[in-house]
Amino acid sequence: MPTESGDVLNIVGFAGSLRSGSFNKAALNAAVGRAPEGVKINVLDISDVPFYDGDVENAGDPSSVKRLKDAVREADGLLIFTPEYNGGASAVAKNAIDWLSRTTGDSGSPIAGKPVAIATATPGGRGGPEAREHLIHVIGFMTDKLFMETLGIKSISGKVDAENRLVDEEAVEDLTNWLERFRDHIQDSRQNHDAA
Ligand SMILES: Cc1cc2nc3c(=O)[nH]c(=O)nc-3n(C[C@H](O)[C@H](O)[C@H](O)COP(=O)(O)O)c2cc1C
């Protein structure tokens, strides 16, 4: 359903985990199903995005990278669910972000000026605070519209069902409320931009 202004916000998201049973994928899929009023969330598949390589880039972005950059450039917001590995974000997430930090021809970086929200799901009891801090640090250099309120879903292995769907009521509610606040952040950043 559209917002008061009549727009439907297009948010794209990716999970920084490649494994099929990923909890971060489960949380991202739950976000799709729980997209707040006025928002559509589309999942980006980054499984075929290669390691960043300046030689590959100089020869022209591979189609997987082009698709990723185009999708983010056209979106109103970006949602990243990253695993926490050894106190930081996963290499898969960081690699996608590194590609997104790069310009293409005359177009700037797709992530520059983009509202971005960061979340982590962990089987452990801390919810990946270091991975989220890591990405705040990294992405804070790329956009002035970073949503500073991150989301950590802890102990997630006990919150999904046999089909890896997030079913824990409290976790789903927290996710839904957080997505609403991210939507409001996107709308506020647009208004501030229009007023400037
Ligand atoms: C190399 C490695 C390092 C990890 N380091 C952390 C960590 O620092 N903090 C944490 O909470 N979990 C850590 N874990 C556990 C991950 O949170 C867990 O494997 C999680 O399920 C990965 O996300 P995914 O389910 O989306 O693939 C680590 C796992 C691996 C394989």
Side-chain angles (χ1 to χ4, degrees), residues 97-125:
I97 293 164
D98 288 339
W99 277 112
L100 286 169
S101 72
R102 306 290 292 165
T103 57
T104 312
D106 292 338
S107 321
S109 152
I111 214 167
K114 189 74 56 185
V116 182
I118 298 161
T120 308
T122 61

Side-chain angles (χ1 to χ4, degrees), residues 41-59:
I41 300 176
N42 292 300
V43 174
L44 305 178
D45 178 4
I46 59 166
S47 58
D48 52 356
V49 171
F51 276 135
Y52 176 79
D53 177 335
D55 294 339
V56 170
E57 182 182 50
N58 286 340

